[in-house]
Amino acid sequence: MLGSLQLLQPTTVGEASSALRDFSERGKIYAGGAELLLLMRHGFLQAEILVDVKKIERLHRITSDDSVLCVGACVTHRTLEADPLVREHAPSFAYAESQVANVRVRNQGTLGGNLCFNDPHSDPGTVLLVHNASVTLGSQRGERKLQLNDFFLDVYETALEPDELMLDVQIPPLPVGMTSAYRRLHRFQRPTLGVAAALKMNDGIIAESRLAVGCVGPKAQRLGELETKINGNSISDAKQILAEQKSYLRDLLRPVDDLLGSADYKLYMTGVLLGDALDRAERGR
Ligand SMILES: Cc1cc2nc3c(=O)[nH]c(=O)nc-3n(C[C@H](O)[C@H](O)[C@H](O)COP(=O)(O)OP(=O)(O)OC[C@H]3O[C@@H](n4cnc5c(N)ncnc54)[C@H](O)[C@@H]3O)c2cc1C
C-alpha cells in the first residue's frame, strides 16, 4: 500500500527542477509511474512528493529538425511504436518499442522514464545506441546535451544530477544506405537479451557496421571493436568472427547468472542473435 503523497504538477522545466532541489530525497519525478509506483508499493523506494512532469508541454513533442528526430521524454512507448514519422525515420526503434512489455505498460510508460530508470532489461536504449542518439537534460541551471552512451553509467545509474530532468532524445538518421534490425529474446515480459545491428553493404561486403547489445550486462553497450573487425567481410565471415569473440564479449558485457539464464547462456545467445540481426539488417528489416 502507498502512504499519503503530495502531487506537484509543474508546467515548466524550471519549476520542476526547483521542486527537485527543494524537496531533495523526499521528491521523485513521476512520468508514467510504471516503475516508480511499483517500487514504492513494494517498499523499495520512499517518496513524499511526486513531481509529475507530464504537464510540461515540450516533453510530449515529436519533431524532426535537420533530419534529426527529437522525441520528448514523456512520449509513451505506444505512441512511438505507431507514429508514422518514427516508423519512417527509425523503423528498428519503432519495432523495439512495439516489443516493450504489453499494451498496458506501453500506454503508461514513457521513453524518458525507461532511459532514466536504466533497468538493464530494457529495449529502446539498445537500438538508440546504433543511431548515435543523444539526450537533453534540463534544470534551473540550463540545459546540457549528452551522448546516450555517456548517459548510461551502470545498473540503474545515469548521469542525471539530482535537480535535472530528461527533456528529449535526439535520434539522428542512419547514414544513407545503412539498414538496421533489432532482435530480442524473452522468457517473461522484460527482455532477457536484446541486440541491434545496422549495416551498409557494398557488393556483398560490409562497408560499415554498428552493433549494440542490451540486457546481458549492467547497461546497453555499443560493440565498437567488433564493428571494426567485421567491416570489410561478408555476412557469413562476419558471423564466424562473432563466434570467435566470446572473451571480448564477456569482458565488455560482464554477464551475470540470474533468473533469466546463466552468464554462459546469455553470451552464447548474444552471438546467435547478433548473427540473426546481421542477416535481417542486410535484408533491411
Ligand atoms: C510489467 C512490466 C514489464 C516491462 N517490460 C519491459 C520491456 O519488455 N522492455 C522495456 O524496455 N521495458 C519494460 N518495462 C519498463 C517500462 O518500459 C518502463 O517502466 C517505463 O518505460 C518507465 O516509464 P514511466 O514513464 O512509467 O517511468 P516512471 O515509473 O514514472 O519513472 C521511472 C524512473 O525514471 C524517473 N523519470 C521518469 N521520467 C523522467 C524524466 N523525464 N527525467 C528524469 N527522470 C525521470 C523517475 O523518477 C523514476 O526514477 C516493463 C515494466 C513493467 C512494469
Side-chain angles (χ1 to χ4, degrees):
M1 293 291 288
L2 293 176
S4 67
L5 288 164
Q6 190 184 338
L7 182 70
L8 294 185
Q9 296 193 302
T11 54
T12 66
V13 175
E15 281 169 24
S17 171
S18 38
L20 291 173
R21 188 202 54 205
D22 294 348
F23 295 114
S24 182
E25 281 301 299
R26 294 160 56 220
K28 296 280 176 259
I29 295 184
Y30 164 69
E35 296 288 15
L36 193 72
L37 298 183
L38 207 60
L39 291 175
M40 290 174 68
R41 221 176 280 137
H42 288 290
F44 293 129
L45 193 139
Q46 277 80 41
E48 293 167 34
I49 298 115
L50 296 186
V51 182
D52 179 358
V53 290
K54 292 191 295 300
K55 297 276 186 229
I56 306 174
E57 201 270 330
R58 167 179 175 176
L59 272 51
H60 292 272
R61 290 187 208 145
I62 300 180
T63 55
S64 176
D65 190 13
D66 269 347
S67 80
V68 174
L69 190 74
C70 182
V71 177
C74 281
V75 176
T76 63
H77 301 298
R78 184 76 176 135
T79 299
L80 290 166
E81 87 181 82
D83 186 276
L85 197 58
V86 178
R87 288 171 77 130
E88 187 182 333
H89 180 90
S92 298
F93 171 56
Y95 171 74
E97 287 289 357
S98 77
Q99 299 301 294
V100 170
N102 54 50
V103 74
R104 185 193 66 74
V105 172
R106 293 203 295 281
N107 263 319
Q108 182 184 359
T110 64
L111 179 62
N114 186 291
L115 300 177
C116 292
F117 193 53
N118 198 18
D119 184 318
H121 296 285
S122 296
D123 294 285
T126 309
V127 195
L128 289 175
L129 286 178
V130 302
H131 271 272
N132 291 336
S134 53
V135 294
T136 306
L137 311 177
S139 69
Q140 271 195 321
R141 294 168 287 117
E143 293 184 14
R144 63 183 178 124
K145 204 165 161 178
L146 273 185
Q147 282 296 306
L148 186 59
N149 211 15
D150 299 324
F151 177 73
F152 291 145
L153 296 184
D154 211 328
V155 187
Y156 303 116
E157 226 183 279
T158 68
L160 270 175
E161 294 291 339
D163 65 343
E164 272 183 324
L165 50 152
M166 181 180 283
L167 305 183
D168 36 52
V169 181
Q170 291 80 39
I171 311 174
L174 292 175
V176 175
M178 187 176 258
T179 47
S180 64
Y182 178 68
R183 301 291 292 142
R184 95 203 278 266
L185 180 73
H186 64 280
R187 280 182 68 201
F188 307 107
Q189 277 174 352
R190 293 177 200 250
T192 300
L193 170 61
V195 309
L199 291 180
K200 191 168 177 174
M201 300 297 291
N202 188 359
D203 266 348
I205 296 297
I206 301 172
E208 192 184 343
S209 63
R210 296 180 183 180
L211 304 172
V213 173
C215 313
V216 175
K219 58 177 188 168
Q221 299 220 55
R222 275 285 287 272
L223 310 180
E225 209 176 293
L226 200 49
E227 292 169 9
T228 311
K229 281 194 173 131
I230 67 167
N231 290 345
N233 289 277
S234 65
I235 298 282
S236 60
D237 287 349
K239 284 188 193 170
Q240 187 57 43
I241 294 170
L242 285 178
E244 290 159 5
Q245 298 303 313
K246 282 251 167 60
S247 60
Y248 162 74
L249 289 174
R250 190 183 292 278
D251 290 348
L252 183 77
L253 300 175
R254 295 187 282 143
V256 290
D257 297 327
D258 62 19
L259 288 174
L260 298 176
S262 67
D264 283 344
Y265 168 73
K266 290 181 199 171
L267 269 187
Y268 174 77
M269 287 310 295
T270 300
V272 173
L273 248 61
L274 277 171
D276 191 23
L278 289 181
D279 281 333
R280 284 170 187 258
E282 187 192 18
R283 296 201 300 269
R285 66 189 177 89

